[in-house]
C-alpha cells in the first residue's frame, strides 16, 4: 500500500496510495491514516476533550496506540464521553462496571487513576485546558526525520511534575509529551508530511 521514502531530508515518510507523503506511522495501517491526517497534531481545546486525550494516553502506557485508537468508541461510551463532571462522580459500582467492560483496557490501576484524575481536574480553578496549554512551548520548525522527534522535552517534564504535584496519576514526562503531540501543543509531523502546520514558528523561523 505504501512505499518508504529514504531520500535525504524525508526519512520516516511514506507515500500513500493517494500520492501524499505522510509520517511513516500514519501510513502503516488504514486505522492510523485518518487519525494522522485529521487529528494528530491538531489543536485541541476544551477541558473534556483534553481530559479524554490525557486518559487515553495513560491507558496506552505499555501498549500500542493502535490498540487504544481501535477501542476509543468503547472508551467514550464507558466513560460518559470523558465528561470531567460525570467521571468525577463515578462510584465503586462504576469502577466494577468498567472492569467488566471487554471493549476497553481493563486495568484496575488505570481505571482508578482515570476516575481520580477526573476529580482532580474538576477542582482546578482555571480548568484543565488552561493548565495544560500553559506548558506548550513556542512553535518550532518541524523535525526533519524520525531521529529528530524527542520522547520527552523540558516542557513535558515540567508539565508532568506539575500534574503529579497537583495529584494527577499516570502522567509521566513521556505520556505528557505524547499528549502534547496529539493535541497540537507541539507539531511533530515530519518536515515533508503533507499535513499543513497549524501553529506558526516563533521568532520569524520559516514554517516547515
Amino acid at each position: 500500500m505504501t512505499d518508504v521514502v529514504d531520500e535525504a531530508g524525508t526519512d520516516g515518510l511514506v507515500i500513500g496510495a493517494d500520492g501524499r507523503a505522510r509520517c511513516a506511522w500514519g501510513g502503516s495501517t488504514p486505522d492510523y491514516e485518518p487519525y494522522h491526517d485529521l487529528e494528530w497534531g491538531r489543536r485541541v481545546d476544551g477541558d473534556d476533550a483534553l481530559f479524554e486525550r490525557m486518559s487515553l494516553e495513560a491507558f496506552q502506557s505499555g501498549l500500542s496506540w493502535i490498540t487504544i485508537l481501535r477501542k476509543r468508541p468503547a472508551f467514550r461510551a464507558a466513560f460518559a464521553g470523558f465528561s470531567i463532571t460525570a467521571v468525577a462522580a463515578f462510584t465503586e459500582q462504576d469502577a466494577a462496571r468498567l472492569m467488566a467492560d471487554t471493549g476497553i483496557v481493563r486495568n484496575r490501576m488505570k481505571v482508578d487513576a482515570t476516575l481520580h484524575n477526573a476529580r482532580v481536574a474538576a477542582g482546578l480553578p482555571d480548568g484543565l485546558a488552561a493548565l495544560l496549554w500553559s506548558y506548550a512551548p513556542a512553535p518550532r520548525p518541524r523535525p526533519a526525520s524520525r531521529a529528530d522527534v524527542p520522547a520527552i522535552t523540558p516542557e513535558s517534564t515540567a508539565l508532568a511534575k506539575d500534574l503529579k504535584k497537583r495529584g494527577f496519576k499516570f502522567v509521566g514526562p513521556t505520556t505528557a509529551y505524547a499528549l502534547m503531540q496529539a493535541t497540537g501543543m507541539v507539531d511533530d509531523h515530519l518536515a515533508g508530511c503533507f499535513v499543513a502546520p497549524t501553529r506558526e514558528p516563533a521568532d520569524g523561523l520559516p514554517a516547515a
Side-chain angles (χ1 to χ4, degrees):
M1 176 182 175
T2 57
D3 297 310
V4 177
V5 178
D6 289 319
E7 298 172 3
T10 57
D11 177 56
L13 297 176
V14 295
I15 304 299
D18 58 4
R20 290 173 165 175
R22 290 179 175 83
C23 304
W25 66 266
S28 62
T29 173
D31 296 282
Y32 269 152
E33 191 170 294
Y35 177 71
H36 166 273
D37 293 0
L38 304 173
E39 292 189 59
W40 194 77
R42 304 284 185 176
R43 183 180 179 110
V44 176
D45 290 300
D47 291 347
D48 291 346
L50 283 164
F51 176 63
E52 176 186 337
R53 276 31 171 227
M54 174 188 286
S55 300
L56 293 180
E57 292 292 348
F59 271 103
Q60 185 271 334
S61 179
L63 303 171
S64 65
W65 177 247
I66 194 63
T67 297
I68 303 302
L69 188 62
R70 287 169 176 166
K71 290 178 176 288
R72 185 167 62 171
F75 271 109
R76 287 173 169 171
F79 284 94
F82 287 97
S83 161
I84 292 173
T85 301
V87 177
F90 276 15
T91 64
E92 176 58 31
Q93 287 70 33
D94 289 300
R97 169 182 59 80
L98 292 166
M99 288 302 298
D101 189 339
T102 59
I104 67 170
V105 173
R106 294 180 291 173
N107 179 301
R108 186 60 193 244
M109 290 182 64
K110 293 177 182 180
V111 167
D112 287 347
T114 303
L115 274 55
H116 172 83
N117 288 347
R119 296 173 190 127
V120 177
L124 293 174
D126 298 318
L128 183 61
L131 172 60
L132 297 180
W133 274 95
S134 71
Y135 284 92
R140 53 172 167 70
R142 285 178 161 181
S145 71
R146 291 173 293 182
D148 298 315
V149 179
I152 62 172
T153 62
E155 292 85 3
S156 75
T157 300
L159 173 57
K161 183 177 179 179
D162 191 356
L163 291 170
K164 182 178 180 180
K165 182 179 178 180
R166 293 171 187 268
F168 285 94
K169 299 179 179 180
F170 268 96
V171 188
T174 302
T175 298
Y177 192 66
L179 175 65
M180 288 178 158
Q181 291 174 306
T183 60
M185 295 177 198
V186 296
D187 181 0
D188 276 348
H189 284 281
L190 299 186
C193 180
F194 88 94
V195 175
T198 57
R199 298 181 69 199
E200 292 299 324
D203 302 323
L205 292 172

